Amino acid sequence: MAGMTTPWIAAEPLDAASFVELRRRAMFDYCKWDPQIGDACVIARSPLVIRRQAWGEVVDIAEALARETLAAERELAQRPGLHRSLGLPRAVRRALRRAADLGPPPDAARLIRFDFHFTTDGWRISEANADVPGGLNEASGLPVAIAPHYAWAAPVGDPAGAYAAALTARVSEGAAVALVHATAYSEDQQMLRFVASRLEASGLRAHLASPAHVRWRDGQAELDAAWWRGPLDLLVRFFPADWLAALPAATGWPYFFGGARTSSSNPATAVLVQSKRFPLVWDDLRTPLPVWRARLPETRDPRDAPWRSSEEWIVKPVLGRVGEGVGLRDCVAPRDMRRIDRAVRLWPRSWIAQRRFTIVPLELKGGRVFPCLGVYTLDGRVVGAYGRLARVPLVDERAADAAVLGA
Amino acid sequence: MSWMSAEDVFAAWTRQDVIWSDWAKPVAFIGTSLVPADADLPVPPALTLPLDPGSVVVVDLPGAESVGAGAALAERDYCPVPLFNGTSGPSPVIEVESIGRALVAAGERVRRAPVSSVAAPAFLLDSRRLDRTAIAPGKYDNRWVVLPQDFPSGALLASRGFRSTVLLRRDGLSIPPDLAHVLARWVEHGFCVRVIDVATGQTADNVTVPTPSRFKRAWYAAIALLGLHRSNVGGFGAAIPEQTDSSGGFG
């Protein structure tokens, strides 16, 4: 830690009245429909302010990671022999062979979010959200809402706006776009509703739909919904790739992986690098991954790491999200650790062990927090960030969403 | 009442000086700006049975009726907390427009209700949230479940002096499985549960909340929803065997 300069600038929290207004704006202008999780308000009263020089460093790292990630995914898509090592379900592996045989769907705007942490060893990433990176509405909306109170800082980007612009650029005016998601989750629809509004403002016809509403005719996607039927020009997928296999066969879901003529963002082949077992195949890849190797903590099969006896290791589910199922002993109840232990024992290929890093906390007026900086890259270029402030060194659904500003 | 924005309607239903309003979900209010102000509000159930002001109330009635009950409870110094979490969409499986209309229709009445800063919460749910009747290919599957994270914890409620829960239901005294996960957690903090059937007036006191399946699993939220995928039209996502998951967001 000696000699390391913190990347953060501690900002004063909003006063009570301003925070009430921020919360209201977040809900009604930026589709933040889940501001309360259990007893925790998950909108931060302070922005996460990063020094400009540090932001520049993060941008360089993230863009290098994005280049490596996309190159590795292209190679992995052609090497189905490595897919079992990634801990992917069998049906997904079968669908991925389709990508190898027929080619992945045409790419339309590759969006990835790398979760950065400033640690005692410098910048590290905990994961890459390459499949369905969320948080766009918070990442774009909260900085705009909070910025007037921090005139000395400015938003670092508008990822939702950049994403909508990139999608719009790939199709003609009036194009039909399906934003595909699990329709029962308001938490998912909130983000897509926000993106859809931007697409509609650009003259596109946006349909919020389930993947079960999509049909395929010779690789061309069509929407087959009670409210509209017709060919689609673009698919925006916010339905996890590993979930597609549970859909009825009539939906033609394997087309999300390969053989499609309709562009997709992100193509389901993203699951190849979404898997937390991705590091376990690095030595088998021709793609150089120097930045991944430098920034991701050492990762092993759980059978090859002393995670049960050493505090230096944690376990994570291969396709886990929102910090769920992460076996971090001092943050997880003993009962849950026992269940995790059992799950790892029974299904080791569905887990990884990762060497733990030590997040440098940030002292704010409301108390100590452990920041996570989610940096979005779009087609390899950084377009913004999404902050989360956790009270414990585990960023889960109770972490507060924070506007990211640079100064 | 004149036309109101969704935000105005939400403001009418929430109180800045009552902590429980923080749990109010905005989902049902989105789109209420399109609702005519003269919409009818269903007649609320006759809540003639005495309700202990020290009880937390959970109103699990059909959509608009729940809203009506919430308005009536506000006039009895309860803080109504709309927890409707069903998304709107074209051709929905669960009709939600009537909830929005009811929220608008009752908005002024609730705004004027003398809800004190120490009022007990009355959580408003839609008992139709898992109704499979209208499921069909092509429809927008907006069914939803309640989760423990939608509510304050038993510990927090107990710290505010609450020790009992009254569950208002219609046509029966059973506790829905998703709600059992919530109530079982409160019972662990010493809560007793009373269930009232507003249709018949029948009451069950000190109800034993059955320990629900996979109780307290860290990733219950995901697993709870998997059982609904059997009639999957993509609404609830995939079957996840040993993996954990919630929604697809925030990776």
Side-chain angles (χ1 to χ4, degrees):
Chain A
M1 272 293 295
M4 291 177 74
T5 305
T6 177
W8 315 117
I9 301 173
E12 287 287 315
L14 293 176
D15 59 54
S18 299
F19 180 66
V20 167
E21 180 60 18
L22 175 70
R23 207 166 182 271
R24 204 58 69 86
R25 296 277 60 75
M27 286 191 284
F28 290 98
D29 294 350
Y30 305 113
C31 300
K32 177 62 179 173
W33 299 340
D34 56 347
Q36 189 80 15
I37 303 291
D39 293 344
C41 173
V42 293
I43 298 177
R45 295 180 78 122
S46 305
L48 181 60
V49 184
I50 185 169
R51 298 178 194 279
R52 282 288 169 191
Q53 183 177 354
W55 175 244
E57 293 168 8
V58 167
V59 167
D60 289 343
I61 298 169
E63 291 185 347
L65 284 168
R67 286 192 294 273
E68 291 181 7
T69 303
L70 295 175
E73 181 186 315
R74 284 191 292 272
E75 181 182 350
L76 275 168
Q78 296 304 312
R79 299 188 61 182
L82 294 177
H83 296 174
R84 188 156 189 260
S85 300
L86 293 171
L88 300 175
R90 188 175 297 128
V92 170
R93 298 202 304 268
R94 277 200 299 270
L96 284 165
R97 275 197 283 278
R98 183 188 188 90
D101 295 338
L102 301 175
D107 218 339
R110 281 306 304 270
L111 187 70
I112 305 175
R113 196 190 79 228
F114 296 97
D115 287 348
F116 280 78
H117 307 264
F118 188 69
T119 75
T120 50
D121 296 315
W123 288 110
R124 292 293 179 269
I125 62 167
S126 51
E127 61 179 347
N129 298 282
D131 188 34
V132 286
L136 287 175
N137 51 318
E138 292 97 337
S140 284
L142 289 178
V144 172
I146 210 172
H149 301 278
Y150 301 91
W152 49 274
V156 296
D158 174 12
Y163 189 47
L167 294 171
T168 303
R170 278 165 169 80
V171 293
S172 316
E173 187 169 351
V177 181
L179 295 94
V180 166
H181 64 293
T183 55
Y185 293 93
S186 64
E187 296 84 358
D188 289 0
Q189 198 199 75
Q190 66 182 18
M191 189 187 90
L192 293 182
R193 185 75 74 92
F194 188 69
V195 173
S197 66
R198 302 264 189 135
L199 295 176
E200 286 167 347
S202 301
L204 305 189
R205 290 174 293 153
H207 296 275
L208 293 171
S210 148
H213 290 128
V214 179
R215 294 290 183 273
W216 298 85
R217 194 193 299 262
D218 297 325
Q220 166 68 47
E222 300 179 344
L223 194 69
D224 182 16
W227 66 90
W228 191 80
R229 288 184 174 84
L232 292 167
D233 299 289
L234 180 61
L235 290 163
V236 175
R237 183 179 61 85
F238 198 65
F239 193 91
D242 52 306
W243 290 16
L244 289 167
L247 292 169
T251 63
W253 62 266
Y255 275 104
F256 281 96
F257 289 85
R261 291 188 286 124
T262 306
S263 298
S264 191
S265 172
N266 293 320
T269 47
V271 74
L272 291 164
V273 288
Q274 175 68 51
S275 165
K276 291 184 176 61
R277 287 179 73 94
F278 172 48
L280 273 55
V281 302
W282 286 350
D283 289 344
D284 296 307
L285 295 176
R286 291 180 289 273
T287 305
L289 297 161
V291 185
W292 265 101
R293 292 179 187 271
R295 301 297 173 176
L296 185 75
E298 183 185 358
T299 303
R300 299 183 189 174
D301 184 290
R303 292 167 289 190
D304 299 327
W307 66 273
R308 286 189 180 86
S309 57
S310 170
E311 296 290 329
E312 292 184 16
W313 291 86
I314 64 175
V315 286
K316 297 181 178 180
V318 164
L319 293 169
R321 295 174 173 87
V322 205
E324 288 184 343
V326 175
L328 186 60
R329 264 175 228 288
D330 48 353
C331 297
V332 174
R335 174 168 40 187
D336 288 325
M337 274 310 300
R338 287 193 292 274
R339 287 177 179 145
I340 289 170
D341 185 297
R342 181 170 177 273
V344 175
R345 211 180 289 276
L346 290 174
W347 304 289
R349 284 182 189 274
S350 297
W351 294 80
I352 54 102
Q354 197 169 74
R355 200 177 285 278
R356 192 171 171 174
F357 51 58
T358 303
I359 303 173
V360 176
L362 172 63
E363 304 292 342
L364 296 175
K365 259 207 178 143
R368 169 175 289 192
V369 295
F370 297 86
C372 174
L373 183 68
V375 180
Y376 293 93
T377 64
L378 180 61
D379 296 329
R381 302 302 304 270
V382 168
V383 292
Y386 163 50
R388 280 172 292 174
L389 304 179
R391 293 286 179 188
V392 296
L394 172 62
V395 180
D396 59 13
E397 76 278 359
R398 292 165 295 178
D401 297 329
V404 178
L405 303 177
Chain B
M1 190 168 64
S2 59
W3 285 85
M4 298 173 84
S5 68
E7 197 174 330
D8 288 339
V9 183
F10 184 82
W13 277 87
T14 53
R15 293 285 194 279
Q16 288 193 25
D17 60 340
V18 185
I19 181 177
W20 314 118
S21 283
D22 284 349
W23 277 261
K25 289 191 180 293
V27 176
F29 294 86
I30 307 297
T32 54
S33 50
L34 301 177
V35 173
D38 57 355
D40 290 331
L41 182 68
V43 175
L47 300 174
T48 54
L49 291 170
L51 289 176
D52 176 3
S55 288
V56 173
V57 178
V58 178
V59 182
D60 193 21
L61 298 172
E65 188 179 345
S66 199
V67 175
L73 287 166
E75 291 169 337
R76 295 174 63 171
D77 196 23
Y78 283 88
C79 176
V81 185
L83 292 186
F84 307 110
N85 207 19
T87 57
S88 61
S91 299
V93 168
I94 305 295
E95 180 276 322
V96 296
E97 267 188 32
S98 60
I99 297 176
R101 285 197 297 271
L103 289 169
V104 171
E108 193 61 29
R109 180 178 166 193
V110 173
R111 188 204 299 276
R112 292 183 181 178
V115 178
S116 68
S117 61
V118 294
F123 298 106
L124 309 182
L125 304 174
D126 182 3
S127 62
R128 305 166 306 151
R129 59 188 175 274
L130 291 171
D131 188 355
R132 299 175 51 156
T133 309
I135 287 179
K139 298 207 83 169
Y140 189 88
D141 186 1
N142 61 338
R143 291 175 296 157
W144 56 284
V145 293
V146 294
L147 298 169
Q149 66 201 49
D150 295 331
F151 295 80
S153 67
L156 178 59
L157 289 166
S159 74
R160 298 294 174 123
F162 299 106
R163 279 291 186 279
S164 61
T165 306
V166 175
L167 172 61
L168 302 181
R169 300 217 72 216
R170 173 171 285 282
D171 302 325
L173 296 172
S174 62
I175 298 175
D178 59 344
L179 205 43
H181 277 267
V182 177
L183 298 180
R185 281 165 164 78
W186 291 356
V187 166
E188 286 187 335
H189 289 276
F191 276 69
C192 58
V193 178
R194 183 189 213 200
V195 184
I196 300 176
D197 182 337
V198 300
T200 63
Q202 267 192 293
T203 303
D205 288 316
N206 294 312
V207 171
T208 299
V209 179
T211 302
S213 172
R214 298 188 176 96
F215 183 52
K216 285 291 189 72
R217 276 284 186 92
W219 50 97
Y220 159 69
I223 298 174
L225 301 167
L226 298 181
L228 299 161
H229 95 286
R230 281 187 282 276
S231 55
N232 186 25
V233 289
F236 283 94
I240 303 166
E242 59 275 10
Q243 301 289 7
T244 71
D245 220 316
S246 61
S247 69
F250 315 122

